[in-house]
Amino acid sequence: MSQSYNRGLIEDFGRWREFSAGMWAWVFHKFTGWVLVGYLFTHIAVLSTALQSPDAYTTTIQTLEGLLVVRILEVGLLAVAVFHILNGLRLLFVDLGVGLESQDKSFYASLLLTGAIVVASVPTFLAGVFG
Amino acid sequence: MSTQLPEQVEEESSAAEAEPTSAAQERRLEKKRQRAEEKERQRQAEEAEKALDEEDTYHLKVFRYDPEIAGKKEPRFDDFHVPYHKGMTVLDALMYARDTYDSSLTFRHSCRQAICGSDAMFVNGSQRLCCKTQLSDLEEPVRIEPLPHAEVVKDLVVDMEHFYDQMEAVEPYFQTNELPEGELEEQHQTRENREKVKMSTRCIWCGACMSSCNIAAGDNQYLGPAALNKAYRFTMDEREGEDMKQQRLEILEQEHGVWRCQTQFSCTEVCPKDIPLTEHIQELKREAVKNNLKFW
Amino acid sequence: MAERYSSFQAGGRRWLWQRITAAFLVVVLAFHFFLLHFVHHADEVTFAMSQGRMQELTYFSLMILFLLTATFHGVNGVYNALINQGLTGTRKTAAKLVLGVASAVVIVQGVRTALAWAGGVPL
Amino acid sequence: MHEHDVIVVGAGGAGLRAAIAAQEEGADVAIVSKLHPVRSHTGAAEGGINAALREADSWEDHAYDTMKGSDYLGDAPAIETLAQDSPEEVIQLEHWGMAFSREEDGRVSQRPFGGLSFPRTTYAGAETGHQLLHTMYEQLVKRGIEVYDEWYVLDLAVSDEDDPEDRTCHGVVGYDIQSGNIEGFRARDGVILATGGLGQVFDHTTNAVANTGDGVAMAYRAGVPIEDMEFIQFHPTSLPSTGVLISEGVRGEGGILYNSEGERFMFEYGYASNDGELASRDVVARAELSEVNEGRGIEDEYVHLDMRHLGEERITDRLENILHLAKDFEGVDALEEPMPVKPGQHYAMGGIETDENGETCIGGLYAAGECACASVHGSNRLGGNALPELIVFGARAGHHAAGRDLGEAEITTGKRGEWESGDVETPVAPGEAGISGADAVADGGAAAEGSDLSPDELVARATERTDRRVDALLENDGRNHSEIRSDVQESMTQHVNVFREEEGLKQALRDIRDAREAYQNVGVADQSRTFNTDLLHTIETRNIIDIAEAITLGALARDEFRGAHWRKEYQERDDENWLKHTMLSWNDGSPELWYKPVLLEGEEKRYEPKIRSY
Ligand SMILES: Cc1cc2nc3c(=O)[nH]c(=O)nc-3n(C[C@H](O)[C@H](O)[C@H](O)COP(=O)(O)OP(=O)(O)OC[C@H]3O[C@@H](n4cnc5c(N)ncnc54)[C@H](O)[C@@H]3O)c2cc1C
Ligand code: HEM
Ligand code: SF4
Ligand code: F3S
Ligand code: FES
């Protein structure tokens, strides 16, 4: 029906302000999932330097790990993975029909827990990079 | 289903122009339009004044759009100031605005008691039934828009055809091979079973859930929460018998059926009839998996 | 009208596998992270260490399985996300193809790397 | 032009059942409805459906209760048909999967209802109407019956012989709300009107905004007599701001009515010293209004219904849905404060005159449901008797229109049987304003010119006429209809409410006359063809005016107190003079009053009028 007004993209993207817990969970899960696949591909690519020679592998890894950016990115990866895992567990429960009433609470819990774990892991992750 | 929209005239030319109208009629209409504009300006002024003297008014911002009327082709928001009384709902306020200020303000409504499902709209950022929403529960200004993810026909009216199509795609009618013999014989059902389907039978086809679901917005073919809930109502009804259940699960399992649901829960949150939609959809998924496992 | 029963769709099966792999991945991914970032620190990683672990059959097969499940889970997830956005027809087939090829590449590449470390299937 | 065998106007319980029935006979049937079917007001019914299903019950008892409830103004053939057919129809619904409440043994549940000698009200929770409406719509989808939803029927295409009894209905004229197109619908075998209630004639009603009595008004103007219009049921406990119904359950559980002075007026002022709040609907409604009229109302408008003393536990256990209603629709927390309530229009007993097959005196024109009057309810409807009426007479009309032989009807329609003419003194002339029969802007009269036209031409003519009328309304730069409408509604609520006095009724007629005159110059501000509700409401307002007048004329003529009709000057039921139906015929613009006798002769027995005791 061409004559009616389609509010289109403006509406779709402008609506985030009105999102509720379950929708945010979905957005984050999607985002983290995509990051993780992306990482899986790069990860395999990096690892396969081992096919050239053991040394090539060791140098690549160690140069990479010596870079602060990479370490920071790794912390990001941890955050992403932890959230995806925790929310993934939440989703698994939802699929089993357990705890549907507190789905929003469990989402907030995943967020908080992710934050806590990430903060706690920062020292380990950044260890050695400044030295 | 029914109402096929006839081809409309080009976007630009208004309907009145396209039809062969006599010059006299054209002039009359033109005068009428001018007077209407004049009145509209006057109204705005009066209202603004009224808003100042009277404290107890509610400020509404209402979405306006009309494909045929010059000033409304580009959507805009109109302001209305409506005197408040205790117990006033959003629908009451809209009706007041229409009857007192602007009779062209268009929206669907009928029962005023949350049973006909006509007046689901997007009020202050959430899908709600206007007749069931107290103004006093809302922050001002109250922003009223047509349901998102549906095409706007005019003002607050959206095209429901797609929603109806989805509802009707799930064979939404009772089918059974197990009817009792006698004409006057009842087909018994246990209390537990009726209790199980009870909530799912409460749907009033308002479309709020469908409008709130991001998946439905992205995938036009997704059956959507309301249709899946309708299917649940029959799938879980034991009176239909095993064969039917099989058939129903097949419908649900189609590509744009239950598997598309990403458990966003927004459908459940907005449903004015408090139907646990996500729960029902999840149960159908499990039911489908169980069903398939049997055949592996 | 929305289309009705397309011939039985593997949607349900893929959905189930997505959950099963997820459940599996929780454990393995946590283990993986833990092992490579907490037990051994990232900056200490060398070829030799990886080699040492890979020569264990259990670890080797676990990693292969990890690779397979993660790839399935990730790629299937992406595919679902695309379908949820209403991808149909040729574009859907194209997405299916690209994703299929990509997973094949990752898996082959991953398995080759693992074999290189282990110096053949560790038996 | 669209063409079908049978056209059903309206998609509430009655319309849906009629369409299904016609389809069962093999007819090509279509429904034209201004609302999508599931939006019809049948969905609002809560209580239940009366049907004699159990061994200990019988259709004869159901018929007897109904006759008694009607205060002997119902016609026995219609009442007996209702009682005989409803068990089968209810079981039919059950076989279509309707989610009735269930007993331990799996059978459908029944509960007691006012005025019934056996608990025969079959129900589905507190949402019987909703379940019924949706179950029937599902059948419609299953059968693929065509629905023109959001098509408003503006007019009937009826030939214009002098006597209505000689006329034939060949179709209707519809207006597609979404596009603004006007199109003819030709019905080869029949048109069935199922347009529901007319609550919008009053400014306070439990009815939907769409219940504007369109069908009754259209049939009336086409020449069909309308029957017993003065009998309007008022419900004593509806919420003041919206009209939402608070069920009798609250009073049943012990809820108490208070006036502004905090007095329990049902006892203190002796309205019902024995039953108090539990007295029958009309008694309570009148008591509430007396309080308000005597200055003891709250905000001069309503009284309080208090249930706080029942305690939170009992309330949440048994009356939970009431808490939600009060909260959602009135903003009142009924656990903390009393609920405001006042009487509201609830149901119209009268309507389009039909026989027990749903046929009117115009050939090919049928009516069923609340818009029809076969007469089952007489002067007062029993709770739970409207829903069976929908399915029983809906089905019969559908079958009959599609050609099934249902036998000769015993009720005669039009002036074919016994009748006498009536006379009522009115302060102003009722009927058409301006020159009678002229093609006034606002007219919605029915008869198309020339009976020598072919049916197709007739429908085409009617369509053209309607087209002109709509154009005129859109072009005319006149008054907005909404003031006219609310003037009529207010006058009706003030004067033709539960209290009716001669002077008030006359005042109402004057007000209606003024409204008619004002309506001569009505105009539609909204110039759009797309979804023009302004236009539709303007057209509905005309129907409201005609119906308001009919109700008032009947009320003025009937000088007795029977059923729901109370007259200050005449406090007795007068069987001597008034065992007859009030009939009104439009007569091309000047309403004619006449009467026809009540049929008390049943299949096997005669129903002898008994005193109505409260
Ligand atoms: C709050 C409430 C509670 C009730 N509870 C009970 C109860 O418990 N038991 C009981 O037996 N009865 C009850 N009743 C009465 C009963 O519900 C109604 O009498 C009955 O539902 C009317 O059904 P209907 O099919 O005649 O009309 P409706 O359901 O009102 O349908 C009318 C149809 O006509 C269409 N229509 C109207 N005008 C036009 C037009 N111009 N053009 C095209 N289409 C048109 C509408 O779109 C609609 O589809 C209750 C009524 C109310 C208001
Ligand atoms: C560690 C445990 C993991 C758990 C518990 C988990 C859980 C889940 C679940 C339940 C879903 C389905 C969401 C839905 O369909 O509603 C999902 C989606 C997804 N997962 Fe995982 N996952 C895990 C690890 C991974 C890994 C390692 C990757 C990367 C390779 C990954 C990538 C994805 C992607 C891309 C999606 C699709 C996201 C989308 O909808 O766009 N996941 N995950
Ligand atoms: S499920 Fe709820 S929100 Fe969705 S259409 Fe039905 S009543 Fe409306
Ligand atoms: S919002 Fe949509 S994703 Fe599922 S839970 Fe509801 S249907
Ligand atoms: S008006 Fe009927 S649901 Fe709101």
Side-chain angles (χ1 to χ4, degrees), chain D residues 260 289 291-303 342:
Chain D
S260 62
L289 264 199
E291 290 301 298
V292 173
N293 291 346
E294 282 160 31
R296 294 189 294 272
I298 296 135
E299 292 185 17
D300 264 340
E301 193 194 351
Y302 52 82
V303 297
K342 72 179 202 181

Side-chain angles (χ1 to χ4, degrees), chain A residues 69-84:
Chain A
V69 238
V70 172
R71 292 307 192 86
I72 291 176
L73 281 176
E74 275 186 354
V75 176
L77 180 69
L78 178 77
V80 160
V82 172
F83 176 80
H84 194 90

